[in-house]
Amino acid sequence: MQQVFASIITIGDELLIGQVVDTNSAWMAQELNRIGVWLKRRVAVGDDRNEIVHALDEQSKDTQIILMTGGLGPTADDITKPVLCEYFGGKMVVDEKTLDHVKYLFEKIFRRPLLERNLQQAEVPDVATVLHNARGSAPGMWFEKNGKVFISLPGVPHEMKGLMTNEVLPRLQQYFTMPFIAHRTLLTAGIGESFLAEAIKDWEAKLPSHLKLAYLPNYSMVRLRITGSGPDKTLLDQQLDREFTALKELVKEWMVVDEDKPLQVVIGELLKAKNKSMATAESCTGGYIAQMITSIPGSSEYYKGSVVSYANAVKEGLLHVSHDTLRSDGAVSENTVKQMVQGALSSLQADYAVATSGIMGPGGGTPEKPVGMVWVAAGNRHKIITQQFNFRFDRLRNIEMTAINSLNLLRKFIIENS
Amino acid sequence: MQQVFASIITIGDELLIGQVVDTNSAWMAQELNRIGVWLKRRVAVGDDRNEIVHALDEQSKDTQIILMTGGLGPTADDITKPVLCEYFGGKMVVDEKTLDHVKYLFEKIFRRPLLERNLQQAEVPDVATVLHNARGSAPGMWFEKNGKVFISLPGVPHEMKGLMTNEVLPRLQQYFTMPFIAHRTLLTAGIGESFLAEAIKDWEAKLPSHLKLAYLPNYSMVRLRITGSGPDKTLLDQQLDREFTALKELVKEWMVVDEDKPLQVVIGELLKAKNKSMATAESCTGGYIAQMITSIPGSSEYYKGSVVSYANAVKEGLLHVSHDTLRSDGAVSENTVKQMVQGALSSLQADYAVATSGIMGPGGGTPEKPVGMVWVAAGNRHKIITQQFNFRFDRLRNIEMTAINSLNLLRKFIIENS
């Protein structure tokens, strides 16, 4: 069975002037890995005909799958489609299905008049298989040449992701014979990557070569993913389960869940199982925890809401934090976050609540309370637990670290206090 | 004066399995642009000798500056240094200054025993100019070959940034004579990329060739950036200002700001100028707007907080939305968001407030109120304006579109109602 290699060509001047960070490639690489395709190279080029052609020639030399993103917009600087049409020796034709979709989008969704340049988005090279883009007006395109597959996708992340999931990955799995690929993933929290590596290094050293371990760190959480590939699915699953069981035992102290699930989903499932609700009282995280929770469909089943108490008057008014506590202990204090939890439980009528207060920076630090100092609390009507952190990152990362760590505190509390 | 082109080679398997998002390249591209270097290409390769050598050969064909990041760590998979030593025909020697620095770091900063593999970080090819890495143990390296410059930097972002700022950029400015580069950027909202293109196409067609226009769409906002380069800074600025003034006139109807600033920063500056405050009442956006605002340092100056009223009981309890309205009109209605604004103004003691209520999907839609239907309101104590949207994207994008559009409604309201 041949090993299938892919390359990604991201197209767009904005990538070369640093206007946007390319988050697409990392996501695409993970998805390709999932189906057994290994990414050999990534290259970013500008909206330039010769650059695109050169990249296509180069990448198709030693990879069977060449994925392209970007340059499919309706404006003059988007030239990917004509360049591909020329490269694969086709001519532009109107794709009726895409045309209907574009018309539908403009009439029913955007509610804007349809311009000539938008109609042109329905034109595709006649040598391409059109991939339906349910989320936008620029279709994906699939070309084949000398046994290689060339795929052009829009650069807009949610359009690219929809096309990858619904069109590209299934077609690739049909087109190439790939080894069976299986994964086992677990999520840890509260332990750094290098310490985790130290804790499991003997086990990791003994992993058979067809099983690969990936550390997927995301702030204070690290996902461990074992990926196995082989011709025999049953055998592969047996081997994976055996290694996964051993790994879970080694990391049980830090394990959040033995599936590939975000922390807020784990908490949601805990709450639904107990038919309980939760609420948040956020000062320094400023709504970040609320938006994490509500990004999950169905979160209204267990999430009541949040009081984002950026101003102390809001902590007093809506969360009933005592004026004396704010004056004596300050907003960033154990007593304040405890009272914020109590306030959230009553004001938001929830069974569980979590609260955060800290100094996220870059300004606002003092010798006693430096930037990165955070108090968090989690509890119910009977009990409240607290934890203090000192983060030393930039503002956004301090916020995310606080959100993750406070949610993990809540998760532990829910498990221990039904 | 020759146009100076650069390429970036990022080295590391972690980039190819999607373990990390490459944020270095975008930052490096911006810094290179600032000094007049154009990034022609970016390529990511694994920790593989042949891949690295191939990339060096390829990139040095048509770029004068080849920047590399990654693969300089102390672990076995980091092979960049020996590969470069071989490529430039040198031999490894200990750099005393680096050795002292490594010893200092481990004794005074990391307070960890110094391992043999750490000492090896002080070894460099004798054909390289060592670039001092004040922030870490892996030094940067500068090679010259046939008038091209090859620079190897660690992949750790803050180490790379320190080396770029203190060593690489100043040396490049000495080594090459570069044209001046300048940008003008404005932000538009409420108009699609293609309509914008239509509105300015005559002006765009007449742009001199040394001025380039980029469309940078992000949800319902589109940034327009003119980039110019030339030998005479004064002349270039004059030309840019003239074209920028013309562009601003053409798009004034949709222009949010004539600088490269996020919408929530623009609102923050409006509020600070008027010495006014704002608050949010979020149902369907679930804290997303609050988190956007509080991601900006200093937002506590003008932002009081948010009531994330996911449950109707919270709309009634903390925002005083009338029970009758919720029963007769429903939570997703004009009257509800109006009362949410009123409630936020009083409960959060703010001068301005914005409110959102809608169905973000994938579930929860009805024939009368389908997924994507959203009501938003913005106002002060004297006046409240509302707007209704119908989005048809996935949950996360519906949330983001609602957040952006409601904030833009608030921005217009603040301007029109001081």
Side-chain angles (χ1 to χ4, degrees):
Chain A
M1 191 169 351
Q2 65 170 352
Q3 172 70 282
V4 180
F5 288 103
S7 53
I8 295 176
I9 303 172
T10 50
I11 300 164
D13 290 337
E14 68 276 13
L15 294 162
L16 298 185
I17 54 181
Q19 200 82 23
V20 295
V21 169
D22 169 27
T23 56
N24 284 348
S25 297
W27 185 89
M28 292 168 84
Q30 287 188 25
E31 292 303 301
L32 290 168
N33 276 201
R34 208 182 300 283
I35 64 165
V37 175
W38 303 105
L39 188 64
K40 195 185 189 77
R41 219 174 288 116
R42 275 167 33 190
V43 55
V45 299
D47 296 301
D48 177 290
R49 184 247 172 220
N50 296 342
E51 278 292 302
I52 296 170
V53 167
H54 179 72
L56 288 167
D57 289 339
E58 277 303 307
Q59 299 314 315
S60 57
K61 279 180 188 166
D62 55 6
T63 63
Q64 301 103 300
I65 300 168
I66 299 88
L67 278 155
M68 292 160 271
T69 61
L72 297 180
T75 53
D77 58 335
D78 293 308
I79 62 166
T80 300
K81 200 155 60 175
V83 170
L84 291 175
C85 189
E86 170 206 339
Y87 189 81
F88 294 103
K91 61 178 200 306
M92 293 298 246
V93 294
V94 172
D95 180 67
E96 290 304 332
K97 184 157 177 282
T98 304
L99 184 60
D100 295 343
H101 179 60
V102 172
K103 286 179 178 167
Y104 161 80
L105 285 175
F106 276 78
E107 284 161 26
K108 298 283 188 300
I109 310 303
F110 308 150
R111 298 193 177 160
R112 291 206 236 95
L114 192 57
L115 304 175
E116 175 57 28
R117 66 175 69 218
N118 299 117
L119 288 171
Q120 283 166 7
Q121 298 206 272
E123 290 180 15
V124 295
D126 56 358
V127 289
T129 304
V130 175
L131 307 178
H132 178 60
N133 176 4
R135 301 177 177 183
S137 52
M141 293 170 284
W142 171 291
F143 302 86
E144 295 174 15
K145 188 177 178 183
N146 313 331
K148 315 255 174 174
V149 174
F150 301 73
I151 301 149
S152 169
L153 302 172
V156 183
H158 81 287
E159 295 184 21
M160 176 280 293
K161 289 177 181 176
L163 273 158
M164 279 290 286
T165 306
N166 303 324
E167 299 286 337
V168 176
L169 296 171
R171 286 169 189 264
L172 288 177
Q173 284 171 299
Q174 279 184 4
Y175 192 89
F176 296 97
T177 325
M178 292 184 256
F180 290 106
I181 291 279
H183 304 272
R184 299 292 186 274
T185 306
L186 62 78
L187 180 67
T188 67
I191 178 172
E193 187 181 359
S194 50
F195 290 91
L196 206 46
E198 199 57 30
I200 64 176
K201 66 173 192 292
D202 297 344
W203 168 84
E204 188 176 357
K206 293 204 207 73
L207 261 187
S209 64
H210 66 294
L211 301 187
K212 302 205 180 312
L213 180 74
Y215 292 77
L216 303 163
N218 178 19
Y219 302 109
S220 59
M221 324 253 298
V222 178
R223 271 182 307 156
L224 291 175
R225 187 185 64 205
I226 314 176
T227 301
S229 62
D232 182 334
K233 187 174 186 320
T234 317
L235 181 65
L236 179 62
D237 280 329
Q238 286 168 357
Q239 295 167 317
L240 278 170
D241 289 336
R242 188 167 58 243
E243 296 297 342
F244 196 50
T245 306
L247 177 61
K248 282 194 281 188
E249 180 59 27
L250 289 170
V251 302
K252 62 176 183 293
E253 188 181 339
W254 310 286
M255 192 171 75
V256 170
V257 60
D258 60 356
E259 292 173 89
D260 196 356
K261 277 181 191 170
L263 178 55
Q264 68 270 42
V265 169
V266 174
I267 289 171
E269 291 175 350
L270 281 171
L271 291 168
K272 280 191 280 187
K274 298 169 185 288
N275 192 27
K276 300 279 190 186
S277 66
M278 73 167 283
T280 49
E282 306 185 58
S283 184
C284 65
T285 47
Y288 192 92
I289 299 175
Q291 87 40 58
M292 273 179 74
I293 293 167
T294 57
S295 69
I296 306 302
S299 45
S300 55
E301 281 179 59
Y302 50 85
Y303 185 62
K304 293 299 190 81
S306 182
V307 171
V308 178
S309 55
Y310 230 50
N312 280 351
V314 177
K315 295 185 182 76
E316 291 184 43
L318 297 186
L319 294 171
H320 317 306
V321 177
S322 91
H323 188 73
D324 296 347
T325 301
L326 288 171
R327 198 173 39 202
S328 59
D329 300 27
V332 180
S333 66
E334 181 167 29
N335 282 327
T336 296
V337 289
K338 275 185 173 173
Q339 291 176 40
M340 286 170 74
V341 165
Q342 287 161 343
L345 290 169
S346 59
S347 298
L348 297 157
Q349 302 164 47
D351 300 310
Y352 295 94
V354 63
T356 64
S357 186
I359 296 136
M360 299 289 93
T366 65
E368 304 71 40
K369 296 181 178 180
V371 168
M373 180 182 172
V374 178
W375 273 102
V376 306
N380 60 16
R381 272 172 192 68
H382 313 295
K383 185 181 173 189
I384 296 175
I385 59 174
T386 63
Q387 200 172 349
Q388 197 248 307
F389 298 96
N390 290 287
F391 299 121
R392 290 286 185 279
F393 308 109
D394 59 49
R395 181 180 181 86
L396 297 187
R397 190 158 185 205
N398 286 337
I399 290 172
E400 287 166 311
M401 292 287 277
T402 305
I404 294 283
N405 282 283
S406 57
L407 280 176
N408 196 41
L409 186 71
L410 174 66
R411 178 188 65 86
K412 291 186 209 150
F413 183 88
I414 295 171
I415 291 170
E416 288 157 17
N417 301 271
S418 299
Chain B
M1 187 178 352
Q2 65 168 352
Q3 172 72 282
V4 180
F5 289 103
S7 53
I8 295 175
I9 304 172
T10 49
I11 301 165
D13 291 337
E14 69 277 12
L15 295 161
L16 299 184
I17 58 175
Q19 220 173 75
V20 296
V21 169
D22 168 28
T23 55
N24 284 349
S25 298
W27 186 88
M28 293 168 83
Q30 286 181 16
E31 293 303 301
L32 290 168
N33 267 214
R34 246 187 350 90
I35 65 165
V37 175
W38 292 96
L39 187 64
K40 196 183 188 80
R41 222 174 284 115
R42 274 167 33 191
V43 55
V45 299
D47 297 300
D48 177 289
R49 185 247 174 220
N50 296 341
E51 277 292 304
I52 296 170
V53 168
H54 178 72
L56 288 167
D57 290 338
E58 275 303 309
Q59 299 315 314
S60 56
K61 279 180 190 164
D62 55 6
T63 62
Q64 299 102 299
I65 300 168
I66 298 89
L67 279 155
M68 294 160 269
T69 60
L72 297 181
T75 54
D77 58 336
D78 292 309
I79 62 168
T80 300
K81 201 155 58 177
V83 169
L84 290 175
C85 189
E86 170 206 341
Y87 189 80
F88 293 103
K91 61 179 201 304
M92 294 298 250
V93 294
V94 172
D95 179 67
E96 290 304 331
K97 183 160 178 281
T98 305
L99 183 61
D100 294 344
H101 180 58
V102 171
K103 285 178 177 169
Y104 161 79
L105 285 174
F106 277 79
E107 283 162 27
K108 298 280 187 298
I109 309 300
F110 308 151
R111 305 211 167 116
R112 282 196 259 107
L114 190 58
L115 306 174
E116 176 55 31
R117 62 167 53 158
N118 300 117
L119 286 171
Q120 283 166 8
Q121 298 206 271
E123 290 180 13
V124 295
D126 56 358
V127 289
T129 303
V130 176
L131 307 178
H132 177 61
N133 177 2
R135 302 177 177 182
S137 52
M141 292 170 286
W142 172 291
F143 302 86
E144 295 175 17
K145 188 178 178 183
N146 314 329
K148 316 254 174 178
V149 174
F150 301 74
I151 300 149
S152 170
L153 302 171
V156 183
H158 78 284
E159 295 183 22
M160 177 281 292
K161 289 177 182 177
L163 273 157
M164 279 290 284
T165 306
N166 304 326
E167 298 285 338
V168 177
L169 296 171
R171 286 168 189 264
L172 288 177
Q173 284 173 297
Q174 281 182 8
Y175 195 89
F176 297 98
T177 323
M178 319 226 221
F180 294 100
I181 295 270
H183 305 279
R184 298 289 185 278
T185 306
L186 61 79
L187 179 67
T188 67
I191 177 171
E193 186 180 359
S194 49
F195 287 84
L196 212 42
E198 206 57 28
I200 65 176
K201 66 170 189 290
D202 298 342
W203 168 84
E204 185 176 0
K206 293 204 207 76
L207 260 189
S209 63
H210 66 293
L211 303 187
K212 301 199 182 316
L213 179 75
Y215 293 77
L216 304 161
N218 178 23
Y219 302 110
S220 59
M221 324 251 296
V222 179
R223 268 178 308 165
L224 292 175
R225 196 197 49 247
I226 315 174
T227 301
S229 64
D232 181 335
K233 186 175 187 314
T234 317
L235 182 65
L236 178 62
D237 280 328
Q238 285 168 358
Q239 294 169 319
L240 278 170
D241 288 336
R242 188 168 56 244
E243 296 298 343
F244 196 51
T245 305
L247 177 61
K248 283 193 281 189
E249 180 57 25
L250 289 171
V251 302
K252 60 176 184 296
E253 189 181 338
W254 311 287
M255 191 172 76
V256 171
V257 61
D258 60 356
E259 294 171 85
D260 196 356
K261 278 180 192 165
L263 178 55
Q264 68 271 41
V265 170
V266 174
I267 290 171
E269 291 175 352
L270 281 172
L271 292 168
K272 279 190 281 187
K274 298 169 186 288
N275 192 26
K276 301 277 190 185
S277 65
M278 71 167 285
T280 50
E282 306 186 56
S283 183
C284 64
T285 46
Y288 192 90
I289 300 175
Q291 137 323 105
M292 274 178 74
I293 294 167
T294 57
S295 69
I296 306 302
S299 45
S300 55
E301 278 179 62
Y302 49 84
Y303 185 62
K304 293 300 190 78
S306 183
V307 171
V308 178
S309 56
Y310 231 50
N312 281 351
V314 177
K315 294 184 183 73
E316 290 185 41
L318 296 186
L319 293 171
H320 319 306
V321 177
S322 90
H323 188 74
D324 295 347
T325 301
L326 288 171
R327 198 173 40 199
S328 58
D329 301 26
V332 181
S333 66
E334 182 168 27
N335 282 328
T336 296
V337 288
K338 276 184 175 175
Q339 291 176 39
M340 285 170 74
V341 166
Q342 288 160 344
L345 290 169
S346 59
S347 298
L348 298 158
Q349 302 164 50
D351 300 311
Y352 295 94
V354 62
T356 63
S357 187
I359 297 135
M360 300 289 92
T366 66
E368 306 68 39
K369 295 181 178 178
V371 168
M373 180 182 172
V374 178
W375 274 103
V376 305
N380 60 17
R381 271 169 193 70
H382 314 294
K383 184 181 174 190
I384 296 175
I385 58 173
T386 63
Q387 200 172 350
Q388 197 247 311
F389 297 95
N390 289 283
F391 300 121
R392 292 289 187 285
F393 307 108
D394 57 58
R395 180 180 182 85
L396 295 189
R397 186 148 195 231
N398 287 337
I399 290 171
E400 287 167 312
M401 292 288 277
T402 306
I404 294 281
N405 281 282
S406 58
L407 279 177
N408 196 41
L409 186 71
L410 174 66
R411 179 189 65 88
K412 290 186 209 150
F413 183 88
I414 294 171
I415 290 168
E416 289 157 15
N417 302 271
S418 299

